[in-house]
Amino acid sequence: MDNKKSNSSTFSQNGNQSKGKSTNASMQHSQLMKLFEDELKDIYWAEKALTKAIPKMVKKATSEKLIAALTSHLAETENQIVRLENVFASMGKKATAIKCEAMDGLITEAGEIMEECETGAMCDAGIISAAQKVEHYEIATYGTLRQFAETLGLTEAAKLLEATLEEEKAADAKLTVVAVSAVNVEASEEEA
């Protein structure tokens, strides 16, 4: 926060204004708040869509480590939906979803990869590739949303979003380990 802004408005830990010219109400009606809410609706749709897409990946996967990683992340995704509902509630809003075109595209691409690949290590490598694209999209989204929440003084929302961001980073790292430790090597040895 620059010096000029910090002098005009000081916020307490819970996001309420303690002194200054700006009001928390004006923050609640700002353009950033609208963008924040729209992006929340977008990722809420995305997480719900993933609860349908991940089981298809699990069904198609053959690596036990990949199956375990995907199954674990499905449970996390279900918890992340609840966490997003808590973010909406912390702002006094009803959780609503707006179709996320980016996630829809990533899920469609994952389906195409699974259809085109032969079952086995090659398909597992494709599933990991698709899943990591999803994770990177989520990492970018949750990082941005957390920062928006901090800027808007929405401390509770920021904490909830940070928890999900850390889970997404861990899921991405777990997929990398599965790929590097076995799946990619096995896929490289399969004949085309």
Side-chain angles (χ1 to χ4, degrees):
M1 195 180 274
D2 66 29
N3 224 4
K4 201 177 239 182
K5 284 187 178 181
S6 65
N7 288 335
S8 68
S9 179
T10 305
F11 289 87
S12 65
Q13 282 277 336
N14 68 6
N16 293 326
Q17 183 185 359
S18 58
K19 66 180 181 176
K21 295 178 184 175
S22 298
T23 65
N24 200 28
S26 68
M27 290 286 270
Q28 295 295 325
H29 292 77
S30 71
Q31 289 183 7
L32 184 62
M33 179 57 87
K34 179 175 179 352
L35 180 59
F36 179 67
E37 288 178 24
D38 288 348
E39 292 297 312
L40 278 175
K41 292 173 185 178
D42 190 76
I43 196 68
Y44 186 57
W45 184 94
E47 295 290 13
K48 287 181 155 212
L50 285 171
T51 63
K52 296 174 185 146
I54 294 172
K56 293 175 186 173
M57 292 178 181
V58 169
K59 187 175 181 180
K60 194 78 170 163
T62 58
S63 162
E64 291 302 318
K65 289 180 179 179
L66 177 56
I67 291 168
L70 292 170
T71 302
S72 170
H73 195 57
L74 177 59
E76 285 179 341
T77 300
E78 290 165 350
N79 289 332
Q80 290 166 357
I81 290 169
V82 172
R83 200 175 290 135
L84 282 169
E85 290 167 349
N86 291 334
V87 170
F88 280 105
S90 75
M91 300 173 359
K93 305 280 183 180
K94 183 181 186 297
T96 54
I98 294 177
K99 185 176 182 179
C100 176
E101 296 296 338
M103 187 60 72
D104 189 48
L106 291 170
I107 290 170
T108 298
E109 182 179 343
E112 291 169 357
I113 288 170
M114 290 186 295
E115 282 178 25
E116 293 170 8
C117 289
E118 218 173 283
T119 300
M122 182 62 186
C123 187
D124 288 347
I127 290 169
I128 291 170
S129 170
Q132 286 194 296
K133 288 178 185 181
V134 166
E135 291 308 322
H136 288 219
Y137 175 79
E138 290 179 307
I139 289 166
T141 300
Y142 282 109
T144 299
L145 286 171
R146 183 209 52 216
Q147 189 57 53
F148 285 174
E150 288 176 2
T151 299
L152 292 164
L154 302 171
T155 306
E156 181 62 25
K159 287 179 187 175
L160 292 166
L161 294 164
E162 175 66 23
T164 299
L165 176 60
E166 292 308 314
E167 287 175 354
E168 300 297 2
K169 288 177 181 178
D172 180 54
K174 190 182 296 184
L175 288 169
T176 296
V177 169
V178 172
V180 172
S181 68
V183 171
N184 289 354
V185 174
E186 290 171 27
S188 72
E189 294 170 353
E190 288 181 350
E191 291 187 25

